[in-house]
Amino acid sequence: MDLRMDLLVSGCEELGIPLSERQVEQFATYFDLLAEWNQKINLTAIDDLMGVQTKHFLDSLVGLSLIREELKNSALPLARLRAIDVGSGAGFPGLPLKIVWPELRLVLLDGTGKKVRFLEEVVSALKLTGVDVVQGRAEELGQSELYRDQFDLVVARAVARLDTLVEYLLPFARQRGYVMAYKGPGAGEEFMEARKAIDLLGGEVVRFAPVTVPHLDEERRILLIKKPRRTPPQYPRGQGLPRKSPLG
Ligand code: SAM
């Protein structure tokens, strides 16, 4: 067992996520690759051992119990769930979720080529199966048949303000699927501004819950949205409009 991952291991115990020895090794290898690649390309501002375990790994895992609890009451197949992480960057929250939930079928999407190369390297080094890494813009892939309406679960962290983000995310979710957005301080105001857009895009808010990340004294919230109705075909809009002129 890699003892460097002690904060992760105790934090996961707190979150009720049992980690096998192999999973701890996978997180340790992920940390090593992140620290190494971050010397060459700008992946993340946080690459120290403590910061990665708390602000990246545990922060990504904090949404797990929330979504699992919700999925238990839904008709979605937990074992064969299809998920997409939009604007995954260095892999957060998608890759930590995949490590602890190996049967998840996952797409990691990012617009930046260098980050996509890094993600491919991690997927290969960790011998993860059922993961596709894709380079592209959310607002374009959300209009493509291959990705639109395809996912049971759509996740994102630190990609855009909520009123913009929901236009990126909702189109990927299949009808009756879920969107889970990780947010920090200031999310309350963003949430109020995004409510109309969520409704317009076919979504319905399930929870907007404060969450506690083990070993981290910072405010976090998770917004969970389900999609009972289809997203109208004109969304997401092109030409940068979700960002330049958010709905709502
Ligand atoms: N989700 C990661 C995290 O929490 O550490 C990365 C966050 S980083 C601040 C935002 C990432 O979203 C970048 O890697 C960027 O390339 C990607 N991104 C932003 N807008 C995007 C879009 N419209 N389509 C695809 N990727 C996008």
Side-chain angles (χ1 to χ4, degrees):
M1 177 93 78
D2 197 314
L3 296 176
R4 293 176 303 161
M5 293 290 113
D6 57 338
L7 285 177
L8 172 73
V9 171
S10 61
C12 277
E13 272 168 24
E14 219 174 286
L15 293 173
I17 303 170
L19 287 182
S20 67
E21 223 165 279
R22 172 160 191 263
Q23 286 165 328
V24 176
E25 291 306 327
Q26 285 178 315
F27 276 111
T29 305
Y30 188 4
F31 166 73
D32 287 335
L33 285 170
L34 187 72
E36 183 192 325
W37 279 60
N38 213 31
Q39 310 270 331
K40 298 176 282 181
I41 62 168
N42 185 16
L43 283 173
T44 167
I46 300 154
D47 69 359
D48 63 291
L49 190 55
M50 183 178 170
V52 171
Q53 288 181 88
T54 54
K55 294 186 175 169
H56 284 325
F57 294 163
L58 289 167
D59 194 60
S60 296
L61 293 173
V62 84
L64 186 71
S65 64
L66 229 121
I67 185 65
R68 285 204 145 159
E69 203 179 294
E70 183 62 32
L71 287 169
K72 265 195 259 158
N73 307 319
S74 82
L76 296 176
L78 204 63
R80 295 193 48 73
L81 212 78
R82 280 200 80 194
I84 183 168
D85 180 11
V86 176
S88 187
F92 306 115
L95 277 178
L97 290 172
K98 170 68 186 175
I99 293 172
V100 302
W101 189 349
E103 62 274 34
L104 193 71
R105 292 181 298 158
L106 178 67
V107 172
L108 299 171
L109 167 67
D110 202 274
T112 307
K114 286 177 189 170
K115 293 185 177 170
V116 165
R117 300 294 104 68
F118 170 73
L119 293 172
E120 287 168 344
E121 170 80 13
V122 178
V123 169
S124 156
L126 271 50
K127 299 188 171 55
L128 296 173
T129 56
V131 183
D132 289 321
V133 182
V134 177
Q135 184 179 356
R137 305 291 308 168
E139 55 276 47
E140 287 165 19
L141 268 57
Q143 285 292 2
S144 117
E145 253 179 41
L146 264 182
Y147 296 96
R148 188 181 178 87
D149 287 331
Q150 297 300 313
F151 296 91
D152 305 300
L153 175 63
V154 183
V155 296
R157 188 187 80 159
V159 175
R161 282 183 63 85
L162 268 179
D163 47 10
T164 299
L165 189 67
V166 289
E167 190 172 350
Y168 289 161
L169 303 187
L170 268 291
F172 289 113
R174 61 179 255 200
Q175 204 176 351
R176 289 181 288 281
Y178 288 87
V179 164
M180 185 161 71
Y182 289 61
K183 280 285 162 186
E189 195 185 312
E190 278 187 45
F191 173 61
M192 295 313 287
E193 287 168 11
R195 291 186 76 153
K196 213 171 126 198
I198 294 168
D199 182 53
L200 203 60
L201 294 159
E204 202 172 90
V205 175
V206 177
R207 298 187 60 174
F208 183 48
V211 287
T212 304
V213 180
H215 309 302
L216 198 61
D217 187 18
E218 287 178 22
E219 194 185 315
R220 294 283 190 276
R221 273 177 173 256
I222 287 191
L223 173 61
L224 189 60
I225 300 169
K226 69 177 169 193
K227 185 173 138 177
R229 289 165 282 117
R230 292 180 82 91
T231 301
Q234 64 268 36
Y235 306 118
R237 295 162 297 159
Q239 295 162 341
L241 283 174
R243 194 178 285 273
K244 276 187 259 170
S245 176
L247 298 169

